[in-house]
Amino acid sequence: MEFCDGCGSMMHTEGGTWVCTSCDNEEPRDATADATMAIREGQEDDGAPEVADATEDATETMQASCPADECDSDRAYYEMLPKPGGSYEVRLFTCVECGHKWRET
């Protein structure tokens, strides 16, 4: 597996070149480095994983005032998600009444 020096995305091979699909960066393949990579024959791509909706069938809410101008609800569903690249989580809210979404500031 090779990662792009430009953007950090995973690269794939095209002939004798590593190609980044995110930023189109190209790097030559190194036969010595390629030989040390573990390969699994017959791997299958199961596609992207399903993203769970925390508000689906949710019964747990908390007191949080909806910031939407037209809504005066004080209850919201919530979920905790890891912040990308960080070591802490961020709390995301969805209003019970109008469905407006916001994050804790």
Side-chain angles (χ1 to χ4, degrees), residues 1-2 9 22 27-28 31 35 43 49 52-53 63 68 77 82 96-97 100:
M1 189 178 311
E2 187 73 23
S9 296
S22 297
E27 297 177 16
Q43 275 188 331
D53 181 1
Q63 186 171 359
Y77 300 108
V96 172
E97 297 294 322
H100 179 77

Side-chain angles (χ1 to χ4, degrees), residues 43-78:
Q43 275 188 331
E44 292 182 18
D45 182 9
D46 295 335
E50 289 185 31
V51 177
D53 181 1
T55 62
E56 185 176 304
D57 299 325
T59 57
E60 236 180 277
T61 63
M62 68 178 291
Q63 186 171 359
S65 297
C66 179
D69 291 334
E70 64 279 352
C71 184
D72 61 351
S73 175
D74 66 345
R75 301 298 300 171
Y77 300 108
Y78 68 95

